[in-house]
């Protein structure tokens, strides 16, 4: 096997460490700093410091610093400075509630609301460094509370509003939060659902919570209340001034703790810091969502200037960004809260489920606000495809859409093509952004100006292509050698950017063990995803390493098999997981959700033959189980390890991240009846 490196060519301007660090220093100029930094970047890689009892090397935990010595206020950078620049009347947020209530916040209004919330938190004794857990749906108060924390230097941790009391309790206790912000209830699929009781349950144990702030959203009357501890958000804010002078904080002070979605196990609380995170969030938002000025290349074609450290004001003004992720997910932190607001664009916040009260709700919202950049997840695209298989009705005007984005999982090429054809008029670029809670911002993605999106060019659906400027990625084998084109390898980030998580909250050892130990000698970050490099040097993400199936020594990627299945006209969604097989090691087991009306006889042989044709006989699923739903995390990722456990009948591992727990018994029943019949 050859070990020729075919990693994508880095931007020539950024090859040396010096050029890369200088690039980030220039990008940091996007922000307003109160004090300039003295050290752009400090990197202390893992170092061998002794021997573990089992004889292996003991490594030190790596240390990362960016813009040390510098101070800034993150909320000021996301709100106030736009007002000071005369853009106070520009719309920051177009808010739409699930029941249809609407409200607009200009940057000036947002500034006043954030100031009042900051004063309110201060009045409750919240100080810089204290933790605040925010357990809210996608409503403006969530953004306001988040920015208020940032403004006073409190560390926020957002928890998905659909999570159980148990999942919330873990995060309240792990962060040691002093304040919990929650709601009376939330709107979900057309109904008002109580929330406060779950919040109460989560804070009932031993924890540091002093106050529970309650936003009135659904107007539930009979909600449980603990006098003294519980306070209405509107009461606490009512008495506060709408002026607050922001204080600067160290670039390396913690901004937030984000828990991974927990697809592979107990969630990890990644810590992101103020300066580096905001720099990379703002830059990558501008790069990927087309805010950078254009420059004409040698070929005479004008394309965005990737290295520009200022935005094109015309592009900023015309942008109406919509990231559909829940605010508690890292995607929303970076591309719904911090990135877009740091860049001063308008954006949409939509509270509800995409299918309430009808499956075209998203199209209605795109039309109403003239959304220009629509950033969503593969699971959502697949559900839109299921509802609008024959195309989006012409009654919706989607002509404002200029750019599409996908994140969360590798997107099935079929879903990519549907999205581009139906929502992007067949011409919009699709940024398929690969990144993680750990990296804080996008690492791999095509760019809006890429030639693959030109008229008549051959696009690459499902390909994350290449690193953004200022970071670098390799695809290597377990010894760190570059893999040959087309071979499966591991994605590692060998040169990190400023938004890399600094540690795991309260557990630096886990930070070392999970991410740095595997390539400690090289100082590379192990992403945990499999990848391959194609003949052009473009990178394809193949899903989690844990999801790779080994059949008689052949390594197969679950996502490739799922994409083949989803390309079949009967299949809405597919989850493929390895199940134990005495003969082949792993048996490929496919769980499929079918379109309504598909006759249920002979599905398995047809789908097995289809995968065999699309990929090859080796990838043919041994078992095909028809299920009503797939287990998914809150961010819509398929939890393949649960599929394995459900099939093998073993105990389910950590399920706190599960979004659709009620679907599990039905999936289990489908497995049982499949076993009874085979
Ligand atoms: P845990 O690490 O606890 O199992 P998680 O990895 O699901 O949770 P996140 O950090 O939210 O938590 O998700 C990052 C992962 O999502 C990536 O490692 C990758 O597997 C997947 N992912 C995100 N975007 C893409 C993309 N564009 N293409 C392929 N995979 C993606
Ligand atoms: Mg992960």
């Amino acid at each position: 096997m050859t070990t020729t490196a075919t990693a994508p060519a880095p931007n020539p301007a950024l090859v040396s460490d010096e050029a890369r660090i200088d690039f980030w220093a220039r990008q940091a100029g996007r922000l307003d700093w109160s004090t300039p930094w003295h050290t752009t970047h400090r990197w202390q890689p893992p170092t061998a410091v002794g021997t573990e009892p089992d004889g292996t090397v003991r490594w030190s935990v790596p240390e990362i610093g960016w813009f040390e010595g510098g101070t800034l206020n993150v909320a000021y950078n996301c709100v106030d400075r736009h007002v000071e620049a005369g853009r106070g009347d520009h719309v920051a947020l177009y808010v739409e509630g699930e029941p249809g209530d609407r409200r607009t916040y200009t940057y000036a209004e947002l500034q006043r609301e954030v100031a009042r919330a900051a004063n309110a938190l201060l009045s409750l004794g919240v100080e810089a460094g204290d933790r605040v857990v925010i357990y809210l749906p996608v409503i403006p108060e969530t953004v306001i509370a988040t920015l208020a924390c940032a403004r006073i230097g409190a560390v926020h941790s957002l928890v998905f509003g659909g999570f159980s009391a148990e999942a919330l309790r873990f995060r309240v206790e792990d962060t040691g939060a002093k304040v919990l912000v929650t709601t009376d209830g939330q709107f979900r699929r057309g109904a008002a659902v109580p929330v406060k009781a779950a919040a109460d349950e989560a804070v009932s144990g031993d924890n540091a919570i002093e106050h529970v702030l309650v936003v009135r959203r659904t107007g539930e009357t009979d909600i449980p209340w603990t006098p003294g501890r519980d306070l209405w958000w509107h009461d606490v804010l009512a008495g506060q001034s709408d002026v607050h002078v922001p204080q600067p904080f160290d670039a390396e002070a913690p901004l937030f703790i984000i828990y991974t979605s927990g697809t592979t196990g107990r969630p990890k609380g990644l810590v992101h810091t103020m300066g580096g995170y905001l720099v990379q969030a703002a830059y990558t938002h501008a790069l990927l969502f087309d805010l950078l000025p254009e420059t004409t290349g040698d070929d005479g074609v004008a394309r965005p200037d990737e290295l520009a450290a200022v935005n094109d004001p015309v592009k900023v003004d015309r942008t109406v960004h919509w990231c559909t992720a829940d605010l508690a997910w890292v995607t929303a932190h970076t591309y719904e809260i911090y990135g877009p607001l740091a860049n001063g664009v308008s954006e949409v916040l939509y509270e509800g489920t995409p299918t309430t009260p009808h499956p075209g709700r998203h199209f209605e919202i795109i039309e109403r606000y003239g959304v220009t950049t629509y950033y969503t997840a593969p699971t959502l695209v697949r559900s839109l495809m299921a509802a609008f298989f024959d195309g989006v009705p012409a009654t919706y005007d989607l002509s404002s859409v200029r750019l599409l984005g996908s994140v969360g999982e590798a997107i099935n090429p079929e879903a990519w093509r549907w999205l581009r054809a139906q929502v992007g008029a067949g011409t919009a670029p699709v940024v398929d952004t690969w990144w993680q809670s750990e990296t804080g911002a996008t690492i791999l993605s095509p760019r809006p100006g890429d030639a693959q999106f030109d008229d008549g060019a051959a696009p690459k659906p499902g390909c994350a292509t290449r690193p953004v400027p200022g970071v670098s990625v390799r695809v290597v084998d377990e010894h760190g050698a570059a893999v040959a084109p087309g071979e499966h390898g591991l994605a590692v980030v060998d040169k990190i950017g400023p938004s890399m998580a600094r540690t795991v909250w309260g557990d630096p050892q886990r930070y070392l063990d999970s991410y740095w130990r595997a390539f400690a000698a090289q100082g590379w970050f192990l992403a945990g995803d499999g990848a391959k490099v194609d003949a052009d040097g473009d990178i394809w993400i193949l899903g989690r390493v844990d999801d790779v199936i080994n059949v008689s020594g052949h390594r197969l990627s679950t996502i490739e098999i799922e994409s083949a299945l989803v390309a079949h006209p009967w299949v809405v969604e597919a989850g493929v997981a390895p199940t134990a097989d005495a003969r082949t090691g792993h048996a490929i087991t496919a769980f499929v959700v079918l379109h309504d009306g598909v006759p249920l006889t002979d599905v398995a042989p047809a789908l097995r033959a289809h995968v065999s044709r699309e990929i090859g006989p080796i990838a043919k699923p041994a078992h095909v189980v028809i299920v009503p739903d797939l287990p998914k995390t809150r961010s819509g990722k398929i939890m393949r390890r649960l599929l394995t456990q459900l099939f093998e009948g073993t105990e389910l591992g950590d399920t706190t991240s599960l979004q659709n727990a009620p679907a599990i018994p039905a999936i289990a029943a489908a497995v049982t009846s499949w076993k009874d019949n085979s």
Side-chain angles (χ1 to χ4, degrees), residues 62 176 185 212 297 348 425 431 472 541:
V212 176
V348 172
V431 291
S472 148
I541 295 293

Side-chain angles (χ1 to χ4, degrees), residues 249-270:
F249 297 99
D250 282 342
E252 282 296 327
L255 176 62
F256 63 86
I257 303 168
I258 179 113
Y259 287 85
T260 59
S261 92
T263 311
T264 51
R266 184 165 60 91
K268 298 179 267 298
L270 280 324

Side-chain angles (χ1 to χ4, degrees), residues 218-299:
T218 53
E220 306 274 303
T221 41
D222 209 15
I223 65 167
W225 203 259
T226 304
R229 183 196 69 185
D230 297 353
L231 301 164
W232 284 108
W233 170 265
H234 57 262
D235 282 347
V236 180
L237 262 71
Q240 302 298 333
S241 159
D242 62 8
V243 177
H244 172 265
V245 181
Q247 303 298 307
F249 297 99
D250 282 342
E252 282 296 327
L255 176 62
F256 63 86
I257 303 168
I258 179 113
Y259 287 85
T260 59
S261 92
T263 311
T264 51
R266 184 165 60 91
K268 298 179 267 298
L270 280 324
V271 179
H272 286 283
T273 57
M274 296 191 175
Y277 171 78
L278 195 63
V279 169
Q280 201 168 336
Y283 167 66
T284 53
H285 175 260
L287 170 80
L288 301 167
F289 295 99
D290 196 19
L291 299 179
L292 297 178
E294 320 246 303
T295 153
T296 305
D298 298 342
D299 56 0

Side-chain angles (χ1 to χ4, degrees), residues 260-264 329 408-410 432-433 436-437 529 544 637:
T260 59
S261 92
T263 311
T264 51
W329 189 27
E409 289 187 291
D432 180 359
T433 65
Q436 315 180 298
S437 307
D529 284 341
R544 286 152 211 285
K637 295 176 204 289

Side-chain angles (χ1 to χ4, degrees), residues 417-661:
R417 283 191 211 97
W418 184 92
L419 178 69
R420 189 168 191 229
Q422 295 298 327
V423 186
T427 53
V430 184
V431 291
D432 180 359
T433 65
W434 175 80
W435 57 296
Q436 315 180 298
S437 307
E438 293 82 351
T439 65
T442 299
I443 297 296
L444 298 172
S445 180
R447 327 279 206 259
D450 280 1
Q452 65 158 315
F453 303 120
D454 291 350
D455 250 2
K460 285 197 178 185
C463 180
T465 71
R466 64 198 191 283
V468 302
V471 302
S472 148
V473 171
R474 296 176 191 232
V475 181
V476 298
D477 65 18
E478 57 270 37
H479 308 294
V483 297
E487 296 278 325
H488 283 209
L490 305 166
V492 299
V493 183
D494 61 314
K495 306 271 188 203
I496 57 163
S499 67
M500 180 61 89
R502 302 297 190 259
T503 187
V504 171
W505 181 259
D507 199 351
Q509 190 62 35
R510 199 169 175 211
Y511 180 64
L512 170 73
D513 291 342
S514 306
Y515 306 118
W516 301 98
R517 180 179 292 286
F519 294 105
Q522 296 91 334
W524 296 343
F525 168 87
L526 177 75
D529 284 341
K532 67 180 181 191
V533 182
D534 69 16
D536 302 330
D538 285 329
I539 299 176
W540 297 72
I541 295 293
L542 300 172
R544 286 152 211 285
V545 175
D546 318 24
D547 289 340
V548 168
I549 304 188
N550 199 324
V551 180
S552 310
H554 295 269
R555 287 152 64 83
L556 297 163
S557 122
T558 49
I559 181 73
E560 285 177 314
I561 305 171
E562 288 164 9
S563 290
L565 288 164
V566 172
H568 191 284
W570 294 348
V571 180
V572 175
E573 284 210 288
V576 169
T579 55
D581 186 284
R583 197 171 48 84
T584 52
H586 279 159
I588 303 171
T589 304
F591 300 80
V592 292
V593 180
L594 301 179
H595 280 283
D596 290 342
V598 172
L600 297 184
T601 47
D602 299 330
V603 169
L607 294 183
R608 297 176 77 232
H610 172 76
V611 173
S612 189
R613 261 194 318 274
E614 296 278 305
I615 306 178
I618 185 77
K620 197 164 63 178
H623 315 300
V624 177
V625 187
I626 300 167
V627 287
D629 203 350
L630 295 171
K632 296 209 188 108
T633 63
R634 67 186 154 112
S635 49
K637 295 176 204 289
I638 300 169
M639 290 176 85
R640 297 179 185 82
R641 73 180 159 86
L642 291 192
L643 288 173
T644 303
Q645 288 157 351
L646 282 165
F647 189 87
E648 293 178 349
T650 50
E651 202 186 320
L652 299 187
D654 188 291
T655 52
T656 47
S657 302
L658 194 61
Q659 185 175 37
N660 55 345

